[in-house]
Amino acid sequence: VFPGVRQAQWLTKTKLVEGLPPAVQGIVDNPALGLQELEERARHVVSHARLWDTTEVAPRREKYCPVLFENLIHICRLMSGKYPALSKRMLARNCRIAATWERESILLQVRGLSGVLMNSMTPIPPVASKEEILATTEHVLETFYPIAPTIDLQEVNVYKELNDTGQCFKDGYPYSHPHTLFFLESANVRTDRFRPEQLRAKMLMFAFGNALAKARLLHGNDPKVLEQPVVVQSIGTDGQLFQFMVFQLNTTDLVSNDGVKNLVWIDSDRNLYERAQCVPEVKKGVVTKPAGISGFQPDTFKKFLALYLHGTV
Amino acid sequence: MAALGAWRVLRPGRRWFSETVPGAPLPPGGPLYPPVVASITAKSKAAKSRRLQRFNQRVHAAATVEEKLRLYGKLQRPKYTVYPQTFALNADRWYRSFTRTVLVPGMPPRGAAAKPPVGAAGATLEAGKSQEPGAEAPAAPEAPGDAEAPGAAAGAVPSVDIGELRSLTCDALLQESFYQNKKRPFLYRDQDHTPGPFLTQLVSTLAASLSGRNPLLAASSLDLSPEVNYYWHHGEEVVVHGHRKGRVDPVRFQIDDNPHLQIRVPKQLPEVVPLESDLGDVPVIDHKPSKLPLFKKQYENKVFIGSKVADPCCYGHTQFHLLPDKLKRERFIRNRLEDQIEVVYRSNGIASLFAWTAAQAMYQGFWSEADVTRPFVSQAVVTDGKYFAFFCYQLNTLALSAETVRNNPRKNICWGTDSKPLYDVVEDGNVKGFNDEVLIQLVHFLLNRPKEL
């Protein structure tokens, strides 16, 4: 019914900021990282995923979306040759997340397979300064009166309030800090895929769920304002369009509508390339669209890499 | 009617039976008549060889590699499907005879190609005896090409921190088997539950951390579950039944392989021994391939290395194969076939690597009539999650069809080790009995690169 992000914001008591936070933007603009040379590799990688990876003429989205993601992660991981601290990361596929919280006397729960999760040994430092966090107290959450905020959510009798990503990993796991969540919309049929707005809402809910579970693990179950905010990033894609998100959990006091709010920075609808033509399109003997990748945007790849490097560089 | 026939021949301007264009100018001093060649359409051996020659010329004259591959695999006929991962008894002997491969136990000594040919012969004699992969490391200081640091002492490659890599390996193992809460494995899908993800994690983290030392890895491309296919002819047989009964046909084979993981690189790995080396004998088997058992099927003849010809990463570096549940060690032990356990690893290594290297060679334009001018080298690791076996393959010849193999002295060579466990058991968040030798051999494999890099 709604733009899903607005609803998700109310449910997670979050204030939205457009664009990526300055810390991440700083990594994108930093020339010392050598992101220019990687542009050529990124172009090859996109061509591989979209054009060359199959014995048929063109790969389907179920094939090329995960392959593109794996290739991009491979390039990012190869940076650990230059920055050895990057090897303190581990990818976990198919992990289940569960988190419960109360919002104005409504009990909400996030559960499910949250795609691919990247964990790291060290947490990401908080992205917003203390002043910005305090400034969110003045921000008023948008309500949807007369529509109840829980519209379109599934009402379920929950008998066990499952609460931690410790459900996903046992104690003593060395890579204990969730770093980035990746969501791949790889269904072939368009109606099976999430639309960009819904995808962003899903990313926000799961990032919030992970951050909340981690905060409760670190600081206990009492609702309070966090001294050390927990930062979790999230990237969602359908193989061409990328959504980037950085979520900072400032408070676990979610029952009331006042007080410090959580912050989320969203950079939405970034195309990595315009079109990928497997076979040249020929009209009346003239090649109108040559084969290959056209309209490659290196900035999108740089943001992907910057979100990967964030927290270590 | 001889007079009538003679009158017809003598009549000027009428050519009923010859092939030349009437009125074509004769070359001065040259032959007066066109060359007498066999017919193209007759049902005779000469016509068949002429058709074969025309086909070979067409393929030689193809403009692009894609066109060559298309013409090479154009004709579809029933062919034997060769499965690299097979339960067939003594499959590695059969596969060696199909692919003209010599199996040399142990790993090739590092930097053997850098020595002069006399030294290389000595080094390959060493490779002929059984050698532990761990014993490679002490042999490494003698090889001039492997100077990571001068005076490398015993054990590990010194500039690589083995402790760091060991902890990365243990972390990957523990995450997949212990820390991450997963549901119970599906029936007969144990390999997808733990060893599969562990192998993926292990290779990706090791390749990333070693990319600083090996610039080839930094430019590599990692494929998850790629497809590798190769189609070839070897030997001859008589068609048994059908409308083509009685004709002599080449025996066709096709390998369709799905490695768990593979690394492709833009530059070729260096040769291990020179192109014309002879390190052993190829087994000759008198039976038909269907006795293995192998079965015939007719479908598309594919040649594929994992990505299309346009990809710049067109050479192979290392493949990683995961053995399925059907070929578990416990099954063989239960059926009292302990000696076949190693056969499984060997046949997988030989068949997969032959298909991969041969497809790489075809991508460069070589085929059975145009044999390779430089050897193609690739490596593979075959594992079931705990036991690892290492293989290195050098493709010296693609000429395996009945006409070309008669005068072909070259043989392909495969070096392989027995399977060794990486660890003993994982208990309570600890890995017990970690075996450093296997890790060191894996690191050697990943660090392999051409001399100039």
Side-chain angles (χ1 to χ4, degrees):
Chain A
V1 174
F2 276 107
V5 178
R6 282 165 52 196
Q7 183 181 12
Q9 275 180 268
W10 189 91
L11 291 172
T12 57
K13 198 169 167 191
T14 309
K15 174 176 170 209
L16 169 69
V17 180
E18 289 289 340
L20 285 176
V24 178
Q25 198 61 42
I27 302 182
V28 172
D29 299 328
N30 185 355
L33 292 176
L35 297 185
Q36 285 304 119
E37 293 88 33
L38 291 180
E39 200 183 314
E40 192 57 37
R41 292 218 60 205
R43 214 184 282 263
H44 277 311
V45 138
V46 171
S47 304
H48 171 252
R50 281 303 308 257
L51 305 175
W52 300 329
D53 187 42
T54 169
T55 45
E56 298 144 28
V57 176
R60 325 205 69 186
R61 193 182 295 260
E62 274 162 352
K63 189 122 198 282
Y64 75 69
C65 188
V67 168
L68 179 61
F69 164 68
E70 292 294 337
N71 287 343
L72 289 172
I73 289 284
H74 182 59
I75 302 186
C76 298
R77 251 201 302 256
L78 287 178
M79 297 283 279
S80 60
K82 254 203 303 195
Y83 302 101
L86 279 181
S87 55
K88 300 265 177 297
R89 303 267 183 94
M90 194 64 79
L91 269 182
R93 292 158 208 272
N94 296 331
C95 54
R96 317 186 73 86
I97 166 66
T100 320
W101 70 98
E102 262 203 40
R103 277 292 278 131
E104 280 200 351
S105 75
I106 313 169
L107 194 61
L108 299 162
Q109 192 180 59
V110 160
R111 279 231 236 179
L113 281 175
S114 65
V116 181
L117 171 64
M118 184 165 66
N119 294 310
S120 105
M121 278 190 186
T122 50
I124 309 181
V127 178
S129 59
K130 293 263 183 240
E131 297 80 22
E132 286 175 355
I133 300 175
L134 287 176
T136 59
T137 45
E138 285 95 42
H139 173 82
V140 172
L141 287 175
E142 200 182 342
T143 52
F144 311 109
Y145 189 81
I147 304 177
T150 49
I151 192 172
D152 287 341
L153 293 182
Q154 197 182 16
E155 190 173 314
V156 157
N157 283 328
V158 175
Y159 298 108
K160 264 196 299 187
E161 287 181 14
L162 285 179
N163 220 337
D164 33 359
T165 41
Q167 280 299 324
C168 193
F169 297 102
K170 295 201 176 101
D171 298 322
Y173 183 47
Y175 300 88
S176 52
H177 297 269
H179 186 276
T180 314
L181 286 164
F182 299 95
F183 294 92
L184 305 176
E185 294 297 316
S186 53
N188 268 337
V189 180
R190 187 153 51 94
T191 41
D192 289 343
R193 295 199 292 269
F194 274 67
R195 289 197 301 278
E197 181 67 32
Q198 294 168 334
L199 180 61
R200 287 198 284 276
K202 177 165 111 162
M203 284 160 61
L204 179 52
M205 297 300 284
F206 277 104
F208 172 76
N210 269 301
L212 187 65
K214 184 70 201 165
R216 289 207 175 133
L217 211 62
L218 285 177
H219 305 292
N221 279 342
D222 307 321
K224 57 174 181 257
V225 177
L226 297 175
E227 278 303 318
Q228 274 297 106
V230 176
V231 179
V232 173
Q233 303 175 141
S234 178
I235 301 183
T237 175
D238 66 352
Q240 184 163 352
L241 217 56
F242 278 74
Q243 327 281 343
F244 300 106
M245 175 184 297
V246 181
F247 177 80
Q248 175 167 323
L249 186 79
N250 297 320
T251 171
T252 52
D253 176 15
L254 299 162
V255 180
S256 65
N257 259 335
D258 327 310
V260 173
K261 317 273 185 309
N262 304 314
L263 283 164
V264 70
W265 291 259
I266 299 190
D267 195 6
S268 45
D269 291 338
R270 296 279 162 223
N271 251 335
L272 185 56
Y273 52 93
E274 285 304 323
R275 75 183 298 123
Q277 196 78 17
C278 290
V279 182
E281 190 175 305
V282 181
K283 284 206 166 118
K284 293 192 189 168
V286 176
V287 176
T288 43
K289 291 180 190 147
I293 303 284
S294 64
F296 180 72
Q297 313 264 10
D299 284 331
T300 316
F301 171 67
K302 284 189 196 160
K303 287 179 186 162
F304 187 98
L305 185 55
L307 280 180
Y308 183 90
L309 295 173
H310 185 210
T312 316
V313 164
Chain B
M1 306 299 266
L4 194 56
W7 180 71
R8 267 195 185 161
V9 165
L10 284 173
R11 240 177 103 173
R14 290 289 179 132
R15 299 277 194 270
W16 291 94
F17 302 116
S18 84
E19 287 176 14
T20 54
V21 174
L26 293 174
L32 290 174
Y33 299 101
V36 177
V37 285
S39 149
I40 300 178
T41 51
K43 192 178 171 186
S44 66
K45 291 203 183 71
K48 185 160 176 212
S49 74
R50 179 134 184 253
R51 284 195 291 270
L52 206 57
Q53 272 176 22
R54 280 167 61 99
F55 170 72
N56 292 345
Q57 272 166 11
R58 263 184 87 186
V59 179
H60 277 299
T64 59
V65 175
E66 284 102 339
E67 182 64 21
K68 242 186 217 182
L69 291 177
R70 189 187 74 86
L71 288 175
Y72 178 73
K74 195 166 117 168
L75 180 62
Q76 279 189 21
R77 283 270 153 67
K79 56 190 174 179
Y80 288 111
T81 334
V82 176
Y83 292 98
Q85 293 178 335
T86 171
F87 49 78
L89 300 181
N90 292 325
D92 68 325
R93 275 199 78 223
W94 288 81
Y95 287 0
R96 272 186 284 149
S97 82
F98 297 151
T99 62
R100 209 171 150 82
T101 310
V102 171
L103 182 67
V104 178
M107 275 287 117
R110 295 284 148 203
K115 294 184 187 169
V118 172
T124 49
L125 279 177
E126 265 185 296
K129 302 183 202 138
S130 297
Q131 234 178 359
E132 295 293 317
E136 282 314 309
E142 301 159 13
D146 191 26
E148 299 275 5
V157 182
S159 57
V160 172
D161 186 0
I162 283 293
E164 171 80 26
L165 299 176
R166 194 188 306 132
S167 70
L168 281 180
T169 315
C170 292
D171 280 339
L173 189 53
L174 287 171
Q175 176 187 325
E176 293 305 331
S177 44
F178 182 69
Y179 282 122
Q180 187 169 354
N181 284 336
K182 301 182 187 177
K183 297 170 112 166
R184 279 177 46 188
F186 199 71
L187 185 61
Y188 298 134
R189 295 238 189 274
D190 286 314
Q191 296 292 85
D192 295 336
H193 186 255
T194 309
F198 160 56
L199 193 59
T200 320
Q201 287 281 24
L202 175 68
V203 174
S204 28
T205 34
L206 279 187
S209 54
L210 290 174
S211 62
R213 313 235 179 269
N214 186 354
L216 197 62
L217 276 185
S220 66
S221 173
L222 186 71
D223 300 330
L224 298 186
S225 306
E227 223 185 297
V228 173
N229 306 323
Y230 186 61
Y231 166 76
W232 79 103
H233 296 179
H234 181 66
E236 269 179 342
E237 64 173 1
V238 177
V239 179
V240 167
H241 63 273
H243 69 281
R244 303 183 70 235
K245 180 173 172 178
R247 299 182 204 191
V248 174
D249 246 7
V251 182
R252 304 173 191 93
F253 297 92
Q254 167 93 38
I255 292 184
D256 295 315
D257 190 21
N258 275 316
H260 187 76
L261 210 59
Q262 81 181 12
I263 301 179
R264 279 177 300 112
V265 287
K267 292 205 174 55
Q268 204 176 344
L269 286 178
E271 65 174 27
V272 184
V273 288
L275 193 55
E276 305 281 346
S277 331
D278 188 352
L279 295 184
D281 287 320
V282 178
V284 173
I285 299 186
D286 289 328
H287 302 284
K288 278 178 75 163
S290 58
K291 303 281 183 216
L292 174 59
L294 276 183
F295 300 97
K296 280 197 171 180
K297 211 160 65 155
Q298 177 174 324
Y299 57 103
E300 198 193 332
N301 300 328
K302 289 201 249 192
V303 176
F304 194 61
I305 63 168
S307 76
K308 292 188 185 160
V309 183
D311 197 332
C313 289
C314 51
Y315 296 105
H317 191 270
T318 316
Q319 270 182 344
F320 292 84
H321 295 266
L322 190 64
L323 291 181
D325 275 302
K326 236 203 283 193
L327 303 173
K328 289 196 290 209
R329 291 178 101 89
E330 293 81 31
R331 277 199 163 195
F332 284 100
I333 296 175
R334 224 186 308 143
N335 294 333
R336 288 191 290 255
L337 290 168
E338 288 88 358
D339 47 336
Q340 298 296 320
I341 297 179
E342 293 304 324
V343 166
V344 168
Y345 288 88
R346 283 203 292 263
S347 58
N348 196 357
I350 293 177
S352 305
L353 281 175
F354 170 73
W356 206 26
T357 45
Q360 288 168 42
M362 287 211 78
Y363 270 32
Q364 302 305 312
F366 301 109
W367 60 296
S368 50
E369 300 290 329
D371 211 353
V372 294
T373 50
R374 57 183 193 276
F376 283 77
V377 174
S378 289
Q379 305 169 132
V381 177
V382 183
T383 172
D384 70 345
K386 188 170 158 189
Y387 287 83
F388 284 69
F390 298 91
F391 296 91
C392 177
Y393 196 94
Q394 173 163 325
L395 185 87
N396 292 326
T397 173
L398 273 183
L400 301 172
S401 61
E403 303 87 26
T404 45
V405 84
R406 243 172 259 144
N407 304 325
N408 189 5
R410 300 190 201 165
K411 297 170 195 158
N412 304 319
I413 310 169
C414 181
W415 288 266
T417 67
D418 286 343
S419 55
K420 292 194 167 40
L422 179 64
Y423 58 93
D424 276 336
V425 66
V426 176
E427 257 174 25
D428 292 338
N430 286 321
V431 177
K432 300 220 162 72
F434 194 86
N435 187 353
D436 273 346
E437 289 177 6
V438 177
L439 184 61
I440 292 175
Q441 180 66 268
L442 189 57
V443 168
H444 269 301
F445 261 29
L446 287 174
L447 287 179
N448 199 0
R449 60 190 182 274
K451 296 285 165 322
E452 11 350 306
L453 284 185

